[in-house]
Amino acid sequence: MSVSTTTASREQVLEEIVGAERFLLVTHEGPDGDAVGSLIAMRGALAELGKDVVMFLPASELPLPYEYAFLSLDGLVTELPGDLDERTLVFLDCGNLERNPIAGAESDGAHVLNIDHHHDNTRFGTVNHVDDAASCTAEIIWDIMGALGLRAQGDVADALYVGLVTDTGRFMYDNTGSRAHVMAAELIQAGVDTHDIYRHLYEGMPFAKLQLLARALDKAQCFDDGHLTLSWLSGADFAETGSVESYSEGVIDHLRAVEGTKVAALIRDRLGPGRGDERKVSLRATDDDVDVSRIARAQGGGGHRRAAGFTTRLGDAELVTFLRAAIARQLA
Ligand code: 5GP
Ligand code: MN
């Protein structure tokens, strides 16, 4: 996306925010740190402007993964409000409508602000502010807040920092530009206790999560001269270790770290009623030789060039064949 388009869409978003009174904020399914942080920060910013704002998460997403449990969910609703038609719907960190929790409700002339940093965002909103140069959606919100003359503090600053630190892989992924560090510096000046947040995010790991990681590491395999490093987590792995789905977060970073890896993949069974035959595939690329979002899109998913995913009903053998061929095609 060109800078000028982003500048224009940012002006439009600012106008929308100033002009409307009632908002409903949503994010993608299986909310991660950027999703939760963006919801909370945007809610705080709009409330400070005196707006009527609610955040929506389906009850099935609660409780949030333990990492984010310390964040305050004031203003959260788990049922859509009756005046939904009159609210501006703000989609945060949602690349497309398939992963949105209020499927259907956004159609029929709804007014949708789409604020996101996924380069493959399908621009489904009435106003689309998609900045793929932003490290995280929280960075876009921080930018919007600055333009509105709002200074992040307290819970809002914490929430923005959570989005930033998680989506940049603790400031190590290649999306970590100087702006990310400027944002961090400003948030620290505003009083964010980085060590406290770090402890909540990364050092409260349930033992079951460690055991789940051990299973994934035990089953890891390399293919094609190590270009693909892959592992699996079955429903039994989750059940026997006492893990919930979100405990698989972070496993893939270990796979990506293996020497020679171009693409790391984690294939895990989805849990819960009706999802028994669905599997979630997470993909990570180590450099620009392979764009994993292209591979994910070919299976109906999406994401970023170096971090993407999709849901599938393909079996093990088919999946491995598909991934190996898709990687080989891009490396050729
Ligand atoms: P993860 O592997 O951590 O679940 O997801 C990594 C990234 O891939 C996410 O930030 C998101 O951008 C993208 N992603 C994961 N799963 C899906 C999916 O099913 N559909 C789409 N469009 N994107 C996904
Ligand atoms: Mn994000």
Side-chain angles (χ1 to χ4, degrees):
M1 148 157 300
S2 75
V3 172
S4 61
T5 312
T6 308
T7 309
S9 63
R10 177 188 191 245
E11 288 311 309
Q12 282 179 298
V13 165
L14 296 177
E15 275 171 38
E16 294 278 344
I17 289 174
V18 172
E21 285 312 316
R22 278 182 282 174
F23 296 85
L24 179 88
L25 313 181
V26 299
T27 189
H28 60 77
E29 64 172 10
D32 56 13
D34 191 27
V36 177
S38 294
L39 276 182
I40 294 172
M42 193 68 171
R43 191 239 169 208
L46 294 177
E48 204 176 321
L49 293 172
K51 308 290 182 180
D52 172 342
V53 51
V54 290
M55 319 185 267
F56 173 81
L57 280 175
S60 57
E61 301 284 15
L62 300 175
L64 289 177
Y66 70 90
E67 294 99 313
Y68 316 125
F70 72 102
L71 293 167
S72 154
L73 291 177
D74 274 354
L76 180 76
V77 297
T78 54
E79 301 285 339
L80 290 172
D83 63 353
L84 188 64
D85 295 352
E86 293 146 41
R87 287 181 182 265
T88 297
L89 307 185
V90 186
F91 281 71
L92 299 167
D93 202 44
C94 282
N96 61 45
L97 284 180
E98 280 77 68
R99 299 183 79 205
N100 106 73
I102 59 169
E106 80 288 350
S107 55
D108 305 334
H111 205 68
V112 172
L113 301 190
N114 171 12
I115 300 175
D116 184 33
H117 69 128
H118 293 90
H119 75 108
D120 62 353
N121 185 293
T122 56
R123 271 78 174 171
F124 54 81
T126 318
V127 171
N128 299 295
H129 185 38
V130 179
D131 182 0
D132 65 1
S135 63
C136 52
T137 298
E139 186 181 311
I140 304 176
I141 296 173
W142 168 73
D143 171 70
I144 290 172
M145 288 180 66
L148 290 166
L150 300 174
R151 210 176 134 65
Q153 47 193 332
D155 290 350
V156 171
D158 284 352
L160 288 173
Y161 191 79
V162 166
L164 180 64
V165 78
T166 55
D167 254 31
T168 58
R170 313 182 205 180
F171 303 101
M172 296 221 273
Y173 299 156
D174 80 322
N175 62 357
T176 313
S178 60
R179 278 175 59 77
H181 287 284
V182 171
M183 174 173 165
E186 196 180 298
L187 294 175
I188 292 166
Q189 276 165 6
V192 168
D193 182 341
T194 57
H195 184 67
D196 185 57
I197 290 185
Y198 167 78
R199 299 267 310 164
H200 281 297
L201 292 176
Y202 301 112
E203 295 197 339
M205 191 202 294
F207 189 64
K209 184 171 174 175
L210 189 74
Q211 291 178 301
L212 191 73
L213 171 64
R215 290 197 178 211
L217 298 182
D218 194 43
K219 289 194 262 187
Q221 282 190 35
C222 297
F223 295 90
D224 303 320
D225 300 328
H227 285 164
L228 171 63
T229 303
L230 183 148
S231 195
W232 291 267
L233 285 171
S234 66
D237 291 324
F238 284 90
E240 288 162 20
T241 57
S243 294
V244 296
E245 284 194 276
S246 64
Y247 288 9
S248 63
E249 186 93 11
V251 168
I252 198 164
D253 298 332
H254 295 271
L255 306 175
R256 169 169 48 192
V258 176
E259 180 187 22
T261 301
K262 289 287 181 186
V263 174
L266 178 70
I267 302 171
R268 62 176 172 90
D269 288 354
R270 294 300 312 265
L271 309 180
R275 310 208 82 148
D277 56 348
E278 280 184 13
R279 300 201 295 163
K280 178 71 199 279
V281 181
S282 285
L283 301 172
R284 300 289 184 272
T286 50
D287 57 29
D288 286 333
D289 292 349
V290 179
D291 172 355
V292 289
S293 75
R294 270 174 60 195
I295 299 176
R297 270 198 302 286
Q299 293 290 341
H304 308 278
R305 288 179 186 84
R306 294 193 185 183
F310 61 92
T311 299
T312 183
R313 292 195 157 83
L314 291 179
D316 270 353
E318 282 169 299
L319 258 177
V320 171
T321 303
F322 163 75
L323 291 172
R324 292 175 64 182
I327 294 163
R329 222 174 292 125
Q330 288 197 41
L331 288 176

